[in-house]
Amino acid sequence: MAGAVKLELRCPKKVDGIAVDPEPDWNFSTLLSEINSLEEKLSVSSKFPLAFAKTKSRDIYHGKSIERNSRAFIMRVSVDEMEESSQSLTVAKRFHCDDIYLSDDSEDESLFELQSDLMNEVVAEEGALYEVNYEHHIDIKEEIRIQVSAFETDIIKEIETSNSAFARVEKYKEARREMDRKLDLQYQRKVAEALDNHLTAVQRDHELKSQIEERRIRSDAAYEEAKRREKALQEEKLRQEKVKAEAEMQAKLRAEEAKRVALEAEKKAAKEAAEREAAEASKRIAGGVPPLEGDSSEAVNAPPKGSGSKKPQLAGNLLRSAENALKLEEQRQQKLKELDEVNKSLKSCSNEDFSSFERHIGRLVRQIRGTRDNVSGKASEIIKILNNPRCPQSISVAAFVKKVVSHCEAPDNAPFASSYVIVLVTSQFPHAMDLLLAEFHGACIYTVPKHIVYKKSEFESKEAYYKAIGYRENDGQIESTNDYLKRLESYMKLYGALVQAEVNGIRNLHGLEAGWAWLARFLNTAPANMYTAVALNTFLQMAGFGLFRKYKSQFNKILEIISGNFLSALKAREEPGLKPVIAEIQAYLEDKKFIIEPEGRSLQNYLLSSVMVPSESDY
């Protein structure tokens, strides 16, 4: 055919995702297989099973249907016809209906007109064959329309069935919701009733317990009232005894204060006389030690090199120390002894346990570190404990001095920080300084300073001598010399840090004047040996910087005496153990380490007076 007409179906082109677009050029077997596949897809993709089933095989070759043959159609003619047409044989032509495109809704006669025009151009046999082919296509088109109509009907029925099923499901869901709501209301009602019953029972139990508790409280209150009255009577009795003991202690302290004032007046007068005498002596003796500033306890002119000197020798020439130093030591030890006796009487007549205050003080002393906030904070807390009326001041002061001195041996001890705390505390409690020094003298004889000479005839054994100079005995054995020297060094570190501790606005009761006096007494009385060398070296390392800043050239002359007399005497002993100490002292003198501030002295360059002494804006 020269032209073609497109036919379209009267149904939707796509139903439930399946396209309906038959191709007229298909053969019948292909069309049937396609329709069957559409039915299978519809059955699979549908939410509900199909409401119809195919009962008859899909075979449209009946009635006017023509059985198709894949062979070509052959037309034959007789011999007569061949002669008339002057043709011996006409070759048959093959006709196929596969190329004809049908349309569902094309009802006009354009196709027929086209076909009639074409038929005029062909022979009669071809026209007859074309008519047969056309009828065949009409039958196929009708059959397709029937099948599509049935398909549309099935789809509509399926949609109606689905809508009906959805309606039933929604109705069922609504019924279930109503039933659940009713069940929830019933359950909530039961829970509320059970909760009400439980609360009622709890309330009854609470009322019963409240009644029992009220009776018990009344009973306990009566018992506590009786106990309180008894305790009040005991406390009143203890208070009276404590007031009596405090009065006695205050009387002793006032007497001691009067003695101290008289002693200071005596020392002042002696100082003036000693200054006059030293001024005259300095004119007569060339190269001697200059007069000591702030000390009136003894003559301080050192002899020149190689000359002898008269030194106080006590206890059968065994004890070497300055007489005034021994007197001060005796006075301080007597104060400490009296304090211990008072504390024993207070503890014996009191039922209270003061050990918690002592432990608190010990803990604060162990926590002292070389920082500004730490030193000011620990000093303030210790002062609060010493002012606490719940603990007698004599007990807390004794605990403070003992803990400070015993903490010297700790590896984490900060000597300079501890010395600042001591100055701040003793500025509020002056009598605590003498008690602290008494503890120092008991722990280390070289803080006096004094030295005990060993004589075999005077001591039962070498161990007895060691005990006399401060060696400790553990489990029946005397500690080693190295351990003793380490303890001696730790005590001298704190003592040297104490005498040079300076706090702006606060007077150090045992300051640089006492350090200068200690150095002069030490050089005038102490022999040169291992113990005195360690004590002198440690003292210079800690206090030399402060002494040099105050006494300048006078301190340089003292160092010359140390280099010429003491150091020479140490070298003359030729003991192997003395070599490290000699080297340290010699390096200290030669390198002038006394002009360098020792580590830890400045407390991070902060003046403690701004913390402990209120400024004008604070008043």
Side-chain angles (χ1 to χ4, degrees):
M1 294 176 61
V5 178
K6 183 177 179 180
L7 302 179
E8 294 184 359
L9 298 177
R10 292 183 178 180
C11 62
K13 293 184 179 182
K14 184 176 290 188
V15 178
D16 199 9
I18 302 174
V20 181
D21 190 12
E23 294 290 341
D25 56 349
W26 292 352
N27 55 31
F28 288 126
S29 60
T30 305
L31 182 60
L32 290 176
S33 62
E34 183 66 20
I35 292 174
N36 291 332
S37 66
L38 290 176
E39 291 179 353
E40 292 176 359
K41 291 181 181 179
L42 183 61
S43 299
V44 172
S45 62
S46 177
K47 299 182 179 60
F48 301 95
L50 294 176
F52 65 94
K54 182 175 68 174
T55 59
K56 184 177 180 180
S57 176
R58 219 177 270 281
D59 187 6
I60 64 174
Y61 300 110
H62 61 276
K64 296 181 180 181
S65 300
I66 302 174
E67 184 178 356
R68 298 196 60 169
N69 192 348
S70 60
R71 295 178 299 172
F73 178 77
I74 301 174
M75 182 179 292
R76 298 182 183 276
V77 295
S78 64
V79 178
D80 297 334
E81 293 173 344
M82 291 175 61
E83 292 178 354
E84 293 177 356
S85 60
S86 302
Q87 296 179 355
S88 61
L89 180 62
T90 301
V91 181
K93 295 184 179 180
R94 187 181 301 272
F95 293 92
H96 293 284
C97 297
D98 299 333
D99 297 332
I100 300 176
Y101 190 89
L102 299 180
S103 176
D104 292 340
D105 54 355
S106 177
E107 298 296 339
D108 55 4
E109 298 298 331
S110 60
L111 180 61
F112 298 103
E113 294 175 359
L114 180 61
Q115 292 175 352
S116 62
D117 293 336
L118 294 174
M119 291 176 62
N120 295 330
E121 298 177 0
V122 295
V123 294
E125 293 83 355
E126 292 180 355
L129 183 59
Y130 185 80
E131 287 293 334
V132 173
N133 193 16
Y134 174 72
E135 291 178 0
H136 177 70
H137 277 280
I138 293 297
D139 293 339
I140 292 173
K141 179 178 178 183
E142 186 65 24
E143 185 67 21
I144 290 173
R145 287 177 178 175
I146 293 171
Q147 294 293 335
V148 170
S149 178
F151 187 70
E152 290 179 353
T153 304
D154 293 341
I155 290 175
I156 293 172
K157 289 182 179 180
E158 182 180 356
I159 292 173
E160 292 177 353
T161 304
S162 300
N163 293 335
S164 177
F166 280 125
R168 290 196 299 273
V169 169
E170 291 295 331
K171 186 177 181 180
Y172 175 75
K173 287 172 63 177
E174 186 64 28
R176 290 294 301 178
R177 289 196 195 97
E178 184 66 22
M179 184 179 296
D180 292 341
R181 188 180 63 79
K182 292 180 180 179
L183 291 176
D184 288 343
L185 290 175
Q186 185 178 1
Y187 178 73
Q188 291 176 1
R189 189 179 298 108
K190 290 182 179 180
V191 169
E193 292 177 357
L195 181 61
D196 185 53
N197 294 335
H198 174 71
L199 293 177
T200 303
V202 169
Q203 186 177 3
R204 287 199 300 268
D205 293 341
H206 181 69
E207 291 176 355
L208 181 60
K209 290 180 180 179
S210 299
Q211 295 174 1
I212 296 173
E213 185 68 19
E214 288 177 0
R215 289 195 295 269
R216 188 184 66 79
I217 290 173
R218 287 195 294 270
S219 177
D220 291 345
Y223 175 75
E224 290 294 333
E225 181 65 20
K227 187 177 179 180
R228 187 185 62 78
R229 291 177 182 176
E230 182 180 359
K231 186 177 180 180
L233 294 176
Q234 293 178 357
E235 289 179 351
E236 181 63 22
K237 183 178 178 181
L238 293 175
R239 190 185 64 80
Q240 293 176 358
E241 294 176 354
K242 183 178 178 180
V243 169
K244 183 178 178 181
E246 288 287 345
E248 295 176 356
M249 183 64 183
Q250 292 296 333
K252 290 181 180 180
L253 291 177
R254 285 193 294 271
E256 292 175 358
E257 185 67 19
K259 291 180 181 179
R260 187 178 65 81
V261 172
L263 182 61
E264 288 182 355
E266 182 181 354
K267 288 173 63 177
K268 185 176 180 180
K271 176 183 176 182
E272 295 176 355
E275 288 179 353
R276 289 192 299 269
E277 182 181 355
E280 295 175 359
S282 62
K283 296 178 181 179
R284 296 191 303 267
I285 301 174
V289 180
L292 303 180
E293 294 183 6
D295 179 66
S296 61
S297 59
E298 61 187 11
V300 294
N301 289 330
K305 297 180 182 179
S307 65
S309 62
K310 293 183 180 181
K311 302 177 182 179
Q313 297 179 352
L314 304 177
N317 297 329
L318 297 181
L319 184 62
R320 295 189 178 182
S321 178
E323 183 178 359
N324 286 342
L326 293 176
K327 288 182 179 180
L328 289 174
E329 179 194 12
E330 183 180 0
Q331 294 173 2
R332 292 163 181 165
Q333 293 291 350
Q334 181 64 25
K335 291 180 181 180
L336 184 61
K337 182 179 179 181
E338 292 176 358
L339 183 71
D340 291 337
E341 292 177 356
V342 171
N343 291 338
K344 288 180 181 179
S345 63
L346 288 175
K347 291 180 180 179
S348 62
C349 67
S350 175
N351 293 330
E352 294 188 12
D353 185 13
F354 304 113
S355 60
S356 61
F357 296 95
E358 297 175 351
R359 288 194 299 270
H360 191 191
I361 292 174
R363 183 166 58 254
L364 293 174
V365 170
R366 290 192 298 272
Q367 293 173 354
I368 295 175
R369 298 292 182 271
T371 61
R372 174 199 62 187
D373 295 337
N374 181 276
V375 168
S376 60
K378 301 308 174 186
S380 299
E381 292 185 43
I382 292 173
I383 291 173
K384 288 180 181 178
I385 296 176
L386 298 184
N387 286 323
N388 193 338
R390 294 177 54 195
C391 179
Q393 192 176 100
S394 58
I395 294 177
S396 57
V397 169
F400 169 69
V401 298
K402 291 181 184 297
K403 298 297 182 182
V404 168
V405 175
S406 63
H407 186 57
C408 292
E409 304 176 30
D412 59 343
N413 177 40
F416 288 105
S418 299
S419 67
Y420 289 126
V421 173
I422 292 172
V423 172
L424 293 171
V425 173
T426 54
S427 66
Q428 303 294 324
F429 307 93
H431 64 280
M433 181 60 79
D434 285 338
L435 300 175
L436 179 69
L437 294 173
E439 285 288 339
F440 264 123
H441 301 336
C444 178
I445 62 174
Y446 295 99
T447 59
V448 175
K450 69 180 179 180
H451 177 71
I452 300 176
V453 180
Y454 174 71
K455 280 189 178 182
K456 190 174 182 180
S457 59
E458 299 294 337
F459 294 96
E460 297 178 358
S461 62
K462 196 74 172 179
E463 288 75 11
Y465 170 73
Y466 288 151
K467 291 180 181 179
I469 63 175
Y471 275 73
R472 289 179 179 175
E473 183 179 4
N474 296 322
D475 298 331
Q477 291 186 350
I478 299 295
E479 66 178 337
S480 64
T481 300
N482 288 335
D483 293 339
Y484 173 74
L485 291 177
K486 287 180 180 178
R487 288 195 302 106
L488 186 154
E489 184 178 2
S490 65
Y491 291 125
M492 290 304 302
K493 278 185 177 180
L494 181 57
Y495 182 77
L498 175 62
V499 300
Q500 59 82 58
E502 297 177 352
V503 180
N504 289 347
I506 296 178
R507 177 175 174 265
N508 186 350
L509 301 179
H510 196 76
L512 290 172
E513 295 84 359
W516 182 264
W518 182 93
L519 187 58
R521 292 166 183 164
F522 184 88
L523 294 176
N524 284 334
T525 59
N529 59 21
M530 174 66 74
Y531 308 120
T532 57
V534 171
L536 178 62
N537 179 49
T538 306
F539 181 83
L540 290 176
Q541 297 287 345
M542 302 300 291
F545 177 77
L547 292 173
F548 173 73
R549 283 178 40 175
K550 182 170 184 178
Y551 296 105
K552 304 294 183 181
S553 60
Q554 297 178 357
F555 182 71
N556 285 327
K557 292 181 180 181
I558 285 288
L559 295 181
E560 291 176 2
I561 296 299
I562 294 174
S563 177
N565 292 353
F566 190 84
L567 200 58
S568 299
L570 284 178
K571 294 178 180 179
R573 296 179 68 89
E574 297 182 353
E575 295 181 8
L578 283 172
K579 291 182 179 180
V581 183
I582 293 174
E584 288 187 13
I585 296 176
Q586 192 166 359
Y588 181 84
L589 299 175
E590 293 177 354
D591 298 340
K592 296 184 179 181
K593 293 183 178 180
F594 50 85
I595 65 176
I596 302 174
E597 182 179 4
E599 183 180 0
R601 180 183 181 275
S602 62
L603 285 182
Q604 298 180 353
N605 298 324
Y606 188 85
L607 296 177
L608 292 176
S609 60
S610 62
V611 176
M612 300 303 299
V613 179
S615 60
E616 294 181 359
S617 60
D618 295 333
Y619 284 100

